[in-house]
Amino acid sequence: MADAEEILLEADEKMDHSVEALRRELNGVRTGRAHPSLIETLMVDYYGALTPLKQLGTINAPEPRLLTVTVWDRSAVPAIQKAIQSSDLGLNPAIDGQVLRLPIPPLTEQRRKELVKLVHHKAEDARVAVRNVRRHAHEELRKLEKEGGMSQDELKRAEEELQKITDRHIATIDAESKKKEAELLEV
């Protein structure tokens, strides 16, 4: 049976994973500058299996407003084109043999607002994930106390520590969200 310390450490670790997942997702939100992380995690239906784009070719940003994807398997080009067009990035690839060129158009004010809403949505999803971890850890602590593994005072201290951990992770999520929002709104 886990003790309170282990439960708190596990909750902290899971909350860290939620924050990291948010960072990866926010890297995929375009800010008007070409960056390989925009499309590298895009899932492509490759021979019936969903595969990240970075496993199907080399992604480069040769210019500030251009991404290129050099595909290793020529037969994957149509699937990659379809995945890029059906994504919410608003990009239209130009195909040149095994190379897909993705010009990044400048963001319109309306698109910036849509992307800010998307960032808020992703941040809220991350907050919910952190709160779910907190709820699960809280249930584990109460179960431990009920089974006689800890006193009520120890439970109260552990709950306070759990809340501090949660608050710290929520603050990190808010900071990441604000940073991405600032990137989107700078002209």
Side-chain angles (χ1 to χ4, degrees):
M1 179 193 261
D3 66 343
E5 188 87 10
E6 289 175 20
I7 292 171
L8 291 175
L9 279 173
E10 184 180 336
D12 192 23
E13 197 173 289
K14 286 181 180 178
M15 288 179 192
D16 283 341
H17 290 303
S18 295
V19 171
E20 281 307 309
L22 173 69
R23 285 184 179 130
R24 281 192 306 275
E25 284 188 29
L26 290 182
N27 277 341
V29 176
R30 113 179 143 88
T31 58
R33 289 186 295 274
H35 195 275
S37 66
L38 277 174
I39 59 171
E40 66 186 11
T41 57
L42 202 59
M43 298 308 271
V44 178
D45 186 5
Y46 182 61
Y47 290 113
L50 287 178
T51 311
L53 180 56
K54 67 182 174 183
Q55 293 180 8
L56 300 176
T58 307
I59 304 169
N60 289 314
E63 299 171 22
R65 294 209 175 271
L66 180 71
L67 284 174
T68 60
V69 181
T70 306
V71 183
W72 298 317
D73 179 6
R74 186 183 292 263
S75 65
V77 171
I80 292 172
Q81 178 185 15
K82 182 179 175 189
I84 291 170
Q85 287 175 332
S86 63
S87 72
D88 62 352
L89 294 172
L91 300 176
N92 198 10
I95 301 172
D96 181 18
Q98 286 182 251
V99 177
L100 282 86
R101 297 187 201 300
L102 299 163
I104 310 286
L107 292 175
T108 63
E109 190 61 34
Q110 179 184 359
R111 185 67 177 144
R112 285 179 199 275
K113 289 177 182 172
E114 289 172 11
L115 290 174
V116 167
K117 285 180 187 173
L118 180 68
V119 166
H120 287 293
H121 181 71
K122 289 179 184 290
E124 186 56 35
D125 288 348
R127 283 188 212 99
V128 168
V130 166
R131 289 184 195 120
N132 285 340
V133 170
R134 177 188 63 188
R135 183 177 42 79
H136 179 72
H138 195 266
E139 289 168 359
E140 292 286 317
L141 288 169
R142 287 196 179 250
K143 190 164 68 173
L144 186 64
E145 187 256 344
K146 195 179 230 180
E147 294 170 355
M150 67 190 310
S151 70
Q152 286 185 342
D153 288 344
E154 290 171 323
L155 172 67
K156 183 140 180 71
R157 274 192 290 277
E159 285 175 345
E160 287 172 359
E161 183 60 32
L162 179 62
Q163 188 58 47
K164 286 179 188 172
I165 292 169
T166 303
D167 291 344
R168 188 178 75 235
H169 285 86
I170 295 287
T172 304
I173 289 169
D174 291 342
E176 291 291 326
S177 173
K178 282 190 180 13
K179 185 172 91 176
K180 190 65 173 188
E181 187 178 336
E183 280 180 33
L184 285 168
L185 295 176
E186 71 185 27
V187 177

